[in-house]
């Protein structure tokens, strides 16, 4: 039996990973998708400290994702789509991935998307608190991904393009 092709879609938070994986899952026949945010994963308690210590992605326990990948690679499907911010950077998942795409979304667009997504029903105070956190710590996490995850990807796609265009570019490469 042929092993499914595993496609990882990485980006910063608000970069479009989930939307792109959903659209690819609609476009690619016989595919299944896994979404990073649907897992309760164990990782460093203080992300800023983790980054300051070198951002070792292997400190995250990805066992639940790995178990799902192990199940899916035995199924008669053609593609596994991973909404997965770590790309090739984690030893537990590296060997599963055939292609890694980094959606290079400008930080301002990603921040706006996250704010709209996360604060639909939030108060002005919630938004201000989130912006203060982004300014003091969150931006550092975004920049970390740009220096480690982006250069490691097989393909980099401009995240300011339309979803349809991004999906089309990925399908061309696959």
């Amino acid at each position: 039996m042929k092993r499914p092709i595993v496609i990882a879609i990485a980006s910063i938070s608000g970069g479009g990973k989930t939307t792109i994986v959903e659209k690819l899952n609609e476009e690619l026949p016989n595919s299944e998708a896994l979404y990073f945010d649907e897992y309760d994963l164990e990782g460093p308690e203080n992300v800023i400290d983790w980054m300051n210590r070198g951002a070792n992605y292997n400190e995250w326990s990805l066992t639940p994702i790995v178990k799902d990948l192990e199940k899916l690679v035995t199924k008669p499907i053609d593609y596994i789509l991973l909404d997965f911010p770590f790309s090739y950077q984690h030893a537990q998942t590296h060997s599963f991935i055939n292609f890694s795409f980094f959606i290079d979304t400008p930080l301002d667009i990603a921040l706006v998307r996250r704010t709209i997504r996360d604060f639909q029903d939030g108060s002005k105070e919630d938004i201000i608190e989130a912006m203060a956190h982004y300014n003091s710590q969150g931006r550092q996490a975004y920049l970390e991904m740009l220096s480690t995850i982006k250069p490691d990807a097989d393909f980099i796609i401009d995240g300011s393009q339309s979803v349809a265009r991004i999906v089309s570019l990925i399908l061309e490469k696959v």
Side-chain angles (χ1 to χ4, degrees):
M1 184 171 71
K2 182 180 90 167
R3 182 176 180 246
I5 295 171
V6 179
I7 303 166
I9 305 297
S11 185
I12 58 178
S13 181
K17 295 180 297 295
T18 301
T19 301
I20 297 304
V21 167
E22 289 170 349
K23 295 300 181 194
L24 283 169
N25 201 28
E26 292 172 11
E27 295 287 326
L28 286 169
N30 203 21
S31 62
E32 299 249 359
L34 299 176
Y35 299 92
F36 186 81
D37 289 343
E38 291 181 359
Y39 292 90
D40 184 20
L41 301 171
E42 293 180 25
E45 290 198 22
N46 183 324
V47 174
I48 299 301
D49 176 60
W50 171 74
M51 286 185 297
N52 289 336
R53 290 185 288 106
N56 178 358
Y57 288 85
N58 292 315
E59 289 183 38
W60 294 81
S61 174
L62 302 182
T63 303
I65 293 174
V66 171
K67 286 181 180 181
D68 284 349
L69 281 167
E70 288 171 343
K71 288 178 196 169
L72 285 177
V73 296
T74 65
K75 289 179 74 173
I77 57 176
D78 295 323
Y79 301 96
I80 299 170
L81 305 166
L82 270 180
D83 166 342
F84 189 61
F86 295 171
S87 185
Y88 289 120
Q89 289 291 318
H90 199 287
Q92 284 183 290
T93 54
H94 183 278
S95 64
F96 287 97
I97 300 170
N98 297 98
F99 298 104
S100 174
F101 290 85
F102 185 83
I103 310 302
D104 191 13
T105 304
L107 297 182
D108 61 326
I109 293 173
L111 181 60
V112 167
R113 287 178 182 167
R114 275 201 67 194
T115 303
I116 291 168
R117 177 189 74 202
D118 295 349
F119 298 101
Q120 285 289 317
D121 300 318
S123 68
K124 172 179 78 173
E125 291 77 17
D126 292 339
I127 295 170
I128 290 170
E129 183 181 332
M131 294 303 106
H133 180 268
Y134 174 84
N135 193 45
S136 67
Q137 298 180 2
R139 187 169 191 277
Q140 186 179 344
Y142 281 51
L143 296 175
E144 153 55 31
M145 288 193 74
L146 295 177
S147 69
T148 57
I149 303 299
K150 179 181 173 180
D152 200 34
D154 296 312
F155 303 100
I156 299 169
I157 296 179
D158 178 2
S160 65
Q161 300 178 88
S162 71
V163 170
R165 180 69 182 139
I166 292 169
V167 168
S168 175
L169 289 169
I170 292 171
L171 291 173
E172 285 175 23
K173 300 290 185 189
V174 173

